Amino acid sequence: MARRPALVQRTDRPARHRRPHRLGGAVLAADGHTRATAHLADAARPPDPLYVGDDWRALWLARLDALEPPLADWLDAPAAPAPVAAVPTLAVAGWSDPSAAAVLALAERSTAAVPVRAVLGPWPHGLPDELLPEALRWYDHWLRDLDTGALATPALRSWLGTRWSADDPWPSPGVRQVGYGLDGPLRAAGTASEDRWVRVRSPQHTGLNAGAYVPHGRPADRPPDQREEDGRSVCFDSRPLPEPLELHGSPALTLHPDPLSGGALVAARLCAVAPDGTSTLLTRGVLTLPAAPAAPADPDPVLVLAPVGATVPPGHRLRLTLSSTYWPWLWPGADPDGFAVDPSRSALTLPVHDPAASTDAAPFRSPTLPLPPPLHLTEPLTARPERVTVHDIGRREWRTELSPATDGTRTHPDGLVRAEHTVTAYRVLTATPLSAQARTDRTLRLERPALGWDITLHTRTELRCDATHLLAHTQLRAEEAGNVVFEKEWHQRIRRDAT
């Protein structure tokens, strides 16, 4: 059989069918409107007169007139199928990246006819430098017909916090599913034994310490110590572990909710709690409970958490937390009353990895790379913090502002000067779910001083919500040499449900 072209595949689609920009049946508040604002600004860029000539202005004005903001189309996109490799695939992601689930799904679907090799490491979003030699070896095997040993590697290589593990096949026979009941091995402190239901009713700012939905390696992307989030949630703790615990795969939480909790959002986090109380996030997941009460014969809903590769040291405790909101990752529901669960009929299942069942994989090392093209970066004199949170005690309001570290002015080798500035802001009242608001402002300036060419683009996306819709207000303003040449606004109502 002839060899087929190969690719290094990265996808943000998880293994199960879902709609893009939705998570567990809820609408994502994180990332989507920020990317939509940047997308609109990039689509509004003019042709470069250095390469196009005097026709650039007419082409630009026609382009501006045809633009539409992409957010509504993104949220209305159809459900994404489970990822399937159509060609031999090297699938790579970091554990904290939303695409980690898709990488595991691809590894599970590897066949002799369409082989998949997967790598999950301690990286943010993007192909890490350490994997460039591996990608080259893969391409050389399939595209240049060289014997590089690409297929001799195991199905899955994973960083588990203390070592690189090689598992072949995947799923690994060395991973067993271990159940932890929420009324036994995991237990909520302070819950009366005669009370069947544990109620979860979180303040609306629960989730402020979630970190970035799509991490890019910036310091503020990583979720900090989770003790504040734990205090806003219901916690189920284990006893201190007597020995190290390797986790490798996707935990699953089976919940028995109160029938009156239909439509509520369930956000679950799994943390490792050190003897000094430090709470480190391992993984998390969300689920919107079915709106209609379940029939007696219906199975309990199952919340699948994001894949995790980690080693929990001895003496640490496992902590499962439940909250009824997760802002600003997700738009809150209209009902602030949360939900209730029966711990005696709920359980967490963990993928526990036996270290003896896998071999240690060789570590990946950064290659020596050629120098990039010369690019002069002028940083602002007063750089904004990447993430700032303000609590207005009088208004009972929480505000968070994010500003990417990539902002600044860049002078390219051909003389183009590009300046960017972006601020994303979220706000919510502690006790009012539908007070949630999000806004992104982006300014993009393009200059060619030698030609006297000076273009500035301003884009803004503002989002509010009601019980059934997101209310989007999008603005675009284009300037040439400081003079406004185009201005347009859009008002859209976007359904929140996934129908």
Side-chain angles (χ1 to χ4, degrees), residues 209-210 223-231 269 271 279-281 326:
N209 289 338
D225 187 339
Q226 295 290 286
R227 277 180 281 195
E228 287 187 22
E229 298 285 32
D230 296 349
R269 290 177 297 115
C271 299
S279 181
T280 301
L281 181 67
Y326 207 54

Side-chain angles (χ1 to χ4, degrees), residues 5-373:
L7 51 86
V8 177
Q9 177 161 328
R10 301 190 80 265
T11 171
D12 288 342
R13 297 175 178 176
R16 298 166 302 283
H17 286 58
R18 73 165 177 89
R19 292 165 66 96
H21 300 280
R22 299 178 189 268
L23 187 65
V27 182
L28 280 169
D31 195 49
H33 73 283
T34 300
R35 290 199 297 117
T37 308
H39 178 94
L40 184 63
D42 288 343
R45 290 181 300 174
D48 193 325
L50 182 66
Y51 302 103
V52 176
D54 293 338
D55 291 338
W56 73 269
R57 185 178 288 102
L59 294 171
W60 182 38
L61 294 176
R63 176 184 298 174
L64 291 171
D65 194 54
L67 286 177
E68 293 290 335
L71 188 60
D73 288 340
W74 289 356
L75 290 174
D76 288 336
V84 177
V87 297
T89 301
L90 175 64
V92 178
W95 282 114
S96 59
D97 194 303
S99 58
V103 169
L104 287 183
L106 287 168
E108 186 173 346
R109 291 165 174 80
S110 178
T111 65
V114 185
V116 174
R117 297 296 182 266
V119 184
L120 284 166
W123 308 305
H125 184 74
L127 183 65
D129 289 348
E130 298 96 309
L131 264 293
L132 292 177
E134 195 72 14
L136 181 62
R137 179 162 70 142
W138 188 259
Y139 283 126
D140 281 345
H141 176 86
W142 293 104
L143 301 182
R144 301 179 64 193
D145 200 26
L146 299 178
D147 184 9
T148 63
L151 292 182
T153 56
L156 176 65
R157 285 168 287 175
S158 309
W159 174 250
L160 299 183
T162 58
R163 69 185 183 99
W164 281 97
S165 171
D167 290 274
D168 199 2
W170 182 262
S172 170
V175 175
R176 57 191 177 96
Q177 305 300 318
V178 179
Y180 289 75
L182 300 196
D183 64 342
L186 297 173
R187 184 177 294 275
T191 301
S193 58
E194 68 274 7
D195 186 1
R196 174 185 176 189
W197 301 101
V198 172
R199 175 150 293 281
V200 181
R201 189 175 189 265
S202 307
Q204 296 305 311
H205 60 283
T206 306
L208 286 179
N209 289 338
Y213 177 65
V214 181
H216 291 276
R218 299 181 290 262
D221 285 355
R222 297 183 60 83
D225 187 339
Q226 295 290 286
R227 277 180 281 195
E228 287 187 22
E229 298 285 32
D230 296 349
R232 297 188 276 259
S233 310
V234 173
C235 300
F236 297 83
D237 286 3
S238 74
R239 294 183 181 275
L241 298 177
E243 57 187 18
L245 179 70
E246 275 193 357
L247 301 176
H248 196 191
S250 297
L253 176 62
T254 302
L255 291 169
H256 186 77
D258 183 335
L260 300 180
S261 298
L265 175 69
V266 180
R269 290 177 297 115
L270 180 64
C271 299
V273 182
D276 67 357
T278 304
S279 181
T280 301
L281 181 67
L282 299 175
T283 182
R284 55 194 152 193
V286 298
L287 175 70
T288 301
L289 296 175
D298 289 345
D300 286 332
V302 177
L303 190 164
V304 179
L305 284 72
V308 57
T311 301
V312 184
H316 286 53
R317 289 175 289 131
L318 294 176
R319 171 173 291 168
L320 173 72
T321 75
L322 299 179
S323 60
S324 58
T325 189
Y326 207 54
W327 174 261
W329 268 35
L330 301 168
W331 286 97
D335 187 356
D337 287 338
F339 60 93
V341 297
D342 181 356
S344 68
R345 300 174 64 181
S346 303
L348 175 68
T349 302
L350 294 180
V352 177
H353 190 252
D354 181 2
S358 69
T359 59
D360 289 349
F364 298 97
R365 305 190 185 281
S366 297
T368 301
L369 300 175
L371 293 175

Side-chain angles (χ1 to χ4, degrees), residues 431-446:
T432 310
L434 298 185
S435 66
Q437 299 179 40
R439 187 184 79 198
T440 293
D441 290 275
R442 179 172 173 81
T443 300
L444 174 62
R445 186 174 182 182
L446 303 170

